[in-house]
Amino acid sequence: GIQVEQSPPDLILQEGANSTLRCNFSDSVNNLQWFHQNPWGQLINLFYIPSGTKQNGRLSATTVATERYSLLYISSSQTTDSGVYFCAVVWFRDDKIIFGKGTRLHILP
Amino acid sequence: NAGVTQTPKFRVLKTGQSMTLLCAQDMNHEYMYWYRQDPGMGLRLIHYSVGEGTTAKGEVPDGYNVSRLKKQNFLLGLESAAPSQTSVYFCASSYSYLTDTQYFGPGTRLTVL
């Protein structure tokens, strides 16, 4: 099956810092999504981004499908950005969604 | 507008017992999903539905059954619970299949002893 790897696994930053989270995948995909799970477990879909770049406030994402990676940028981090960030891909072979193991982000006040 | 709700929030079962998890959405979404999340892992798709009366298998369907008798409800059943099914279960819904924003419920924490 397809492999989805996220890096780094853990990240601790001071409030106000910028960060880049990476998602690598091993085969062609039909789409890619980024999710945030807050410390209380609630999941939110951040971006649907099979290719190109999207921005939403302080967050932006870029997917380069031909090189099989996606990046999530968080600028001017706030404590509310803490939690786990997952990327998920839909493999073109079986159209099923596969999640990476996530990057745990902790923003210090 | 409650979004996606899940019942119950917590449950403890003994091995071999059965139970049903209920997911309800009030956004008129066609697509609904059941995921499980184990410690240190991302979500894994158990089953999904592309509309009322339809269901399909995801990545980890064994040991689970589902039903979508009404468009707004998606039920996940465990016929004979096993300790390996101890997990947090999330339901989600969306307008289109995995190409649109998924809206998640708050999760159900299930422990099987």
Side-chain angles (χ1 to χ4, degrees), chain B residues 10 20-21 24 26 31 41 43 48 52 55 66 68 79 84 92-93 95 104:
Chain B
F10 304 93
T20 300
L21 281 66
D26 60 4
Y31 298 85
M41 301 284 289
L43 277 68
Y48 63 100
E52 183 178 322
T55 63
V66 287
R68 184 106 180 261
E79 290 187 348
S84 60
S93 69
Y95 278 114
F104 288 85

Side-chain angles (χ1 to χ4, degrees), chain B residues 20-98:
Chain B
T20 300
L21 281 66
L22 171 64
C23 176
Q25 53 95 4
D26 60 4
M27 295 173 281
N28 202 34
H29 287 166
E30 289 292 338
Y31 298 85
M32 297 185 74
Y33 317 86
W34 275 108
Y35 296 93
R36 61 177 288 173
Q37 184 178 29
D38 300 308
M41 301 284 289
L43 277 68
R44 291 186 291 170
L45 183 64
I46 304 171
H47 285 282
Y48 63 100
S49 169
V50 301
E52 183 178 322
T54 72
T55 63
K57 294 181 180 180
E59 182 188 0
V60 288
D62 295 341
Y64 304 95
N65 56 75
V66 287
S67 64
R68 184 106 180 261
L69 298 179
K70 293 182 178 181
K71 185 177 184 178
Q72 63 267 34
N73 295 338
F74 195 28
L75 278 63
L76 178 71
L78 287 73
E79 290 187 348
S80 180
S84 60
Q85 294 176 304
T86 293
S87 190
V88 180
Y89 292 85
F90 288 96
C91 175
S93 69
S94 64
Y95 278 114
S96 58
Y97 180 63
L98 298 177

Side-chain angles (χ1 to χ4, degrees), chain A residues 31 33 37 45 95-96, chain B residues 37 42-43 57 97-98 102:
Chain A
N31 75 57
Q33 299 179 30
Q37 186 170 36
N45 209 159
D95 221 20
K96 299 290 196 301
Chain B
Q37 184 178 29
L43 277 68
K57 294 181 180 180
Y97 180 63
L98 298 177
Q102 290 185 64

Side-chain angles (χ1 to χ4, degrees), chain A residues 83-109:
Chain A
V84 183
Y85 290 81
F86 294 102
C87 77
V89 303
V90 177
W91 193 27
F92 83 102
R93 289 194 185 278
D94 63 8
D95 221 20
K96 299 290 196 301
I97 187 167
I98 301 294
F99 281 72
K101 291 186 177 181
T103 292
R104 184 173 296 275
L105 178 64
H106 188 47
I107 305 298
L108 301 174

